[in-house]
């Protein structure tokens, strides 16, 4: 019997990671995976193991660490990919092989150079091969929404007959519209009898901004798995956003009578974590998790909300995990309160790590009147979500103003040796970056520099995100401080550490997928 339960398949670590500038290290991916487990997703697509040694290792690590979600590895429909994929996921409590091939004429002709019959044979052989390893096999018809519908039915039927237990219908290029997608799903349900025995899934991209609407249309026609990402990350315009689908089902349960296992209070912490590790900030007006999603600016709205929330709010911030009382701690807060708050965030630190973070919290609390949740997150991120430290800042001092040439002096620890350099620049950030470049001997291109205030007020921490590139290797870094020049220096050092790590581990560095 259909219980109306929709499985949430999160592909932030695979399709999400394919978004420009979203590469994550294995350590960062594991941290996100733990948070996805807490969020209650059913399936984590941890990566594309055959695409690189780095992806293989991170899928393996996640498979061996996460216990309560299925772990999927993406594989093209060939034996090598599937063998490699299985090697990566086999340590999981519940491993899944996800294999795919394109089925549209456009892809057959221009990408694969194969006939329709050849592709049907490949599907059957690939699924059967995957089945030798596990019962849990998903098959996707890439570019399904631009595939001839009769042929799509044939491809799906063959995959099910070969043993696929989940059939995924991707709108790979975000081309379909809700009524058309409903029709595709309805037709598949009507024409492919065997579809009743398996789970039907959809995977929508957002090129026309319709990924969530299309996913919900498909659920209404019988899809019982949706593939989505946190913050809607993903190739090009991204994938369907997990938080939007889940809340649309929850808030409009009257119209969409379906359930998920998502713990909605974990949505916001997950969104923040993903933004931190990828360095891709959430747009302020993003539904559910954007900074303005619950901000009421217009006087008439504020007045209404103060009188009765329901006038302008269709859900509460608490429901999606945005704390109502954002002030959490001050300089008189003790170790216990701080530790408990960290644990509420999901950070269970060893005693020595805790000491380091507590020390930094005390320093911050001395500078700031109030320490907000976001400050704590930034601090943790600054301290831990960082790759190896080849370069560390010992001190950084800057001088600038209307009547002087900006100058920066930085003292760095570089491979255990202290180096001090002073440089002038167009502004203090420029001076700091020049000094750091001179000290480290690396002068990458600065592709992006974004500064954002983490909380309100003039004593707010600034968080800087930078993306740098050298010899085709890209990395991004973040830094937070109450002084934005210090935050900028930290972000640059963080990015340089990752850049060097990526250059020294070309095989392990995270890659782009398909
Ligand atoms: O968009 C797509 O078609 C995909 C498949 C590989 C599932 O990501
Ligand atoms: Zn995709």
């Amino acid at each position: 019997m259909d219980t109306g339960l929709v499985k949430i398949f999160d592909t932030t670590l695979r399709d999400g990671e394919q978004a420009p500038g979203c590469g994550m290290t294995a350590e960062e991916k594991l941290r996100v995976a733990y948070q996805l487990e807490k969020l209650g997703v059913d399936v984590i697509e941890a990566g594309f193991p055959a695409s690189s040694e780095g992806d293989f290792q991170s899928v393996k690590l996640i498979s061996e660490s996460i216990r309560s979600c299925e772990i999927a590895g993406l594989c093209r429909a060939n034996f090598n990919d599937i063998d490699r994929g299985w090697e990566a996921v086999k340590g999981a409590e519940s491993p899944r092989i996800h294999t795919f091939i394109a089925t549209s004429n456009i892809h057959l002709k221009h990408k694969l150079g194969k006939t329709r019959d050849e592709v049907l044979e490949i599907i059957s052989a690939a699924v059967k091969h995957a089945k030798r390893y596990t019962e849990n096999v998903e098959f996707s018809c890439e570019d399904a929404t631009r595939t001839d519908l009769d042929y799509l039915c044939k491809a799906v039927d063959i995959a099910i007959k070969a043993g696929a237990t989940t059939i995924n219908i991707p709108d790979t290029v975000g081309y379909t519209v809700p009524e058309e997608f409903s029709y595709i799903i309805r037709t598949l349900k009507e024409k492919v009898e065997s579809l009743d025995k398996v789970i039907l899934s959809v995977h929508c991209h957002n090129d026309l901004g319709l990924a969530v609407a299309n996913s919900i249309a498909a659920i209404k026609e019988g899809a019982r798995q949706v593939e989505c990402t946190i913050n809607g990350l993903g190739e090009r315009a991204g994938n369907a956003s997990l938080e939007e689908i889940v809340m649309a089902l929850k808030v409009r349960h009257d119209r969409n009578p379906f359930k998920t296992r998502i713990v909605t209070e974990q949505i916001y912490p997950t969104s923040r974590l993903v933004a931190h590790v990828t360095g891709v900030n959430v747009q302020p007006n993003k539904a559910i998790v954007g900074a303005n999603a619950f901000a009421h600016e217009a006087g008439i709205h504020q007045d209404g909300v103060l009188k009765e929330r329901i006038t302008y709010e269709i859900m509460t911030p608490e429901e999606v995990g945005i704390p109502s009382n954002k002030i959490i701690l001050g300089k008189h807060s003790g170790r216990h309160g701080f530790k408990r708050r960290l644990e509420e965030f999901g950070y269970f630190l060893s005693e020595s790590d805790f000491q380091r973070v507590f020390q930094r919290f005390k320093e911050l609390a001395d500078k700031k009147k109030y320490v907000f949740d976001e400050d704590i997150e930034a601090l943790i991120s600054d301290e831990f979500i960082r790759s190896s430290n080849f370069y560390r800042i010992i001190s950084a001092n800057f001088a600038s103003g209307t009547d002087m040439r900006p100058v920066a002096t930085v003292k760095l620890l570089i491979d255990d040796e202290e180096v001090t350099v002073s440089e002038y620049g167009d502004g203090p950030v420029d001076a700091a970056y020049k000094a750091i470049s001179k000290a480290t001997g690396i002068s990458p291109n600065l592709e992006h520099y974004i500064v954002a205030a983490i909380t309100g007020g003039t004593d707010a921490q600034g968080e800087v995100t930078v993306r740098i590139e050298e010899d085709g290797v890209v990395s991004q870094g973040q830094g937070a401080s109450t002084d934005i020049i210090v935050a900028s220096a930290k972000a640059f050092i963080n990015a340089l550490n990752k850049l060097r790590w990526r250059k020294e581990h070309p095989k392990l560095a995270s890659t782009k997928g398909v």
Side-chain angles (χ1 to χ4, degrees):
M1 196 184 74
D2 190 348
T3 59
L5 186 72
V6 177
K7 274 185 141 182
I8 298 294
F9 176 115
D10 181 278
T11 184
T12 308
L13 297 175
R14 199 278 296 169
D15 220 330
E17 214 225 0
Q18 284 172 221
C22 279
M24 296 173 241
T25 64
E27 191 194 12
E28 289 168 338
K29 285 187 180 179
L30 182 61
R31 189 174 282 276
V32 172
Y34 275 124
Q35 181 58 35
L36 291 172
E37 186 177 38
K38 229 167 135 188
L39 177 65
V41 308
D42 297 280
V43 188
I44 296 176
E45 184 159 63
F48 181 10
S51 70
S52 74
E53 180 61 22
D55 242 32
F56 176 85
Q57 292 300 346
S58 50
V59 176
K60 188 163 184 288
L61 180 67
I62 290 168
S63 299
E64 287 163 3
S65 311
I66 300 293
R67 294 292 92 183
S68 52
C69 309
E70 292 174 46
I71 307 294
L74 184 70
C75 314
R76 281 162 296 200
N78 67 59
F79 289 9
N80 277 347
D81 267 36
I82 292 169
D83 294 343
R84 194 84 179 128
W86 175 248
E87 273 308 304
V89 298
K90 69 180 183 192
E93 191 74 33
S94 186
R96 176 183 293 197
I97 293 177
H98 177 192
T99 185
F100 75 98
I101 191 166
T103 47
S104 67
N105 281 346
I106 300 172
H107 279 236
L108 262 58
K109 180 172 172 208
H110 300 291
K111 189 176 89 175
L112 301 175
K114 302 232 178 276
T115 65
R116 286 185 173 187
D117 284 344
E118 281 169 338
V119 167
L120 294 181
E121 272 169 33
I122 293 171
I123 294 172
S124 179
V127 173
K128 282 183 184 154
H129 189 68
K131 265 322 245 205
R132 290 174 46 214
Y133 292 123
T134 173
E135 182 47 33
N136 193 350
V137 175
E138 171 169 339
F139 172 72
S140 288
C141 310
E142 193 189 8
D143 205 18
T145 53
R146 292 192 300 170
T147 299
D148 170 76
L149 204 41
D150 283 337
Y151 180 64
L152 188 66
C153 290
K154 258 190 210 152
V156 165
D157 191 44
I158 282 204
I160 297 172
K161 291 199 169 118
T165 44
T166 301
I167 292 290
N168 184 38
I169 306 298
D171 181 25
T172 304
V173 289
Y175 179 71
T176 199
V177 293
E179 59 280 17
E180 179 187 55
F181 204 37
S182 296
Y183 175 73
I184 293 173
I185 302 298
R186 202 177 317 131
T187 307
L188 282 165
K189 284 270 205 193
E190 278 165 15
K191 293 204 171 157
V192 186
E193 252 177 57
S194 50
L195 206 47
D196 274 350
K197 300 192 196 82
V198 302
I199 292 199
L200 179 59
S201 167
V202 289
H203 172 117
C204 297
H205 279 268
N206 206 29
D207 300 65
L208 293 174
L210 292 170
V212 170
N214 288 333
S215 304
I216 291 173
I219 291 172
K220 289 185 162 177
E221 294 298 336
R224 287 296 173 268
Q225 173 178 285
V226 278
E227 303 196 356
C228 43
T229 58
I230 301 297
N231 300 339
L233 285 184
E235 281 272 10
R236 305 179 312 277
N239 288 62
S241 135
L242 180 149
E243 56 277 10
E244 292 176 25
I245 295 178
V246 168
M247 292 315 287
L249 297 187
K250 187 171 181 202
V251 175
R252 295 310 309 272
H253 195 71
D254 56 329
R255 289 263 153 189
N256 306 314
F258 310 98
K259 286 197 285 267
T260 70
R261 291 201 184 88
I262 294 298
V263 180
T264 59
E265 291 76 12
Q266 290 296 332
I267 285 179
Y268 185 68
T270 314
S271 161
R272 296 287 302 172
L273 179 65
V274 169
H276 272 298
V277 299
T278 57
V280 177
N281 289 331
V282 173
Q283 75 194 56
N285 58 328
K286 163 85 175 62
I288 319 293
V289 291
N292 295 346
F294 292 91
H296 302 280
E297 195 63 32
I300 194 167
H301 287 206
Q302 284 176 357
D303 183 50
V305 169
L306 287 175
K307 285 184 178 137
E308 175 52 66
R309 241 174 157 159
I310 202 171
T311 50
Y312 287 102
E313 267 182 17
I314 58 167
M315 61 196 139
T316 64
E318 293 80 9
E319 234 177 315
V320 295
I322 300 177
S324 57
N325 178 7
K326 290 183 145 205
I327 299 166
I328 57 154
L329 297 161
K331 70 181 189 185
H332 301 299
S333 306
R335 285 172 56 89
H336 288 303
F338 183 64
K339 195 166 200 170
R340 204 176 46 239
R341 195 68 192 129
L342 287 184
E343 288 175 359
E344 280 166 16
F345 272 121
Y347 297 110
F348 295 87
L349 305 182
S350 68
E351 190 47 37
S352 61
D353 284 346
F354 174 75
Q355 267 312 336
R356 257 167 56 210
V357 176
F358 186 58
Q359 183 54 38
R360 287 205 47 191
F361 158 69
K362 281 288 183 194
E363 286 162 18
L364 184 63
D366 270 342
K367 290 186 200 155
K368 288 195 81 203
K369 199 162 163 199
Y370 301 120
V371 179
F372 294 82
D373 281 353
E374 289 90 335
D375 291 320
I376 301 288
E377 275 185 287
L379 195 152
I380 287 278
S381 164
D382 202 48
E383 196 65 37
F384 291 111
I385 308 177
R386 305 285 180 246
S387 45
S388 336
N389 285 323
F390 304 106
Y391 316 112
R392 278 176 191 275
I393 298 176
I394 300 171
S395 65
N397 296 297
F398 321 98
S400 67
T402 50
D403 299 328
M404 66 176 293
R405 216 171 144 204
V407 62
T409 303
V410 294
K411 192 196 275 189
L412 304 182
L413 194 64
I414 302 181
D415 297 326
D416 295 330
E417 224 176 90
E418 278 187 23
V419 180
T420 304
V421 173
S422 293
E423 278 290 308
Y424 289 102
D426 289 339
V429 174
D430 186 48
Y433 279 31
K434 282 190 172 134
I436 291 172
S437 291
K438 193 164 179 190
T440 56
I442 315 174
S443 300
N445 299 319
L446 183 62
E447 292 192 337
H448 278 302
Y449 171 87
I450 303 165
V451 60
I454 295 173
T455 54
T458 51
D459 66 351
Q461 283 199 94
E463 186 176 56
V464 173
T465 304
V466 297
R467 189 156 97 211
I468 58 175
E469 182 275 335
E470 193 183 62
D471 304 331
V473 182
V474 174
S475 80
Q476 74 248 332
Q478 291 98 22
S481 167
T482 46
D483 180 324
I484 58 162
I485 317 297
V486 174
S488 305
K490 283 180 172 180
F492 190 39
I493 285 287
N494 179 228
L496 287 175
N497 276 319
K498 288 185 181 175
L499 188 78
R500 176 156 159 195
W501 186 86
R502 290 203 163 127
K503 286 189 158 189
E504 288 181 6
H505 302 83
K507 284 194 169 160
L508 287 178
S510 201
T511 55
K512 302 290 136 232
V514 194

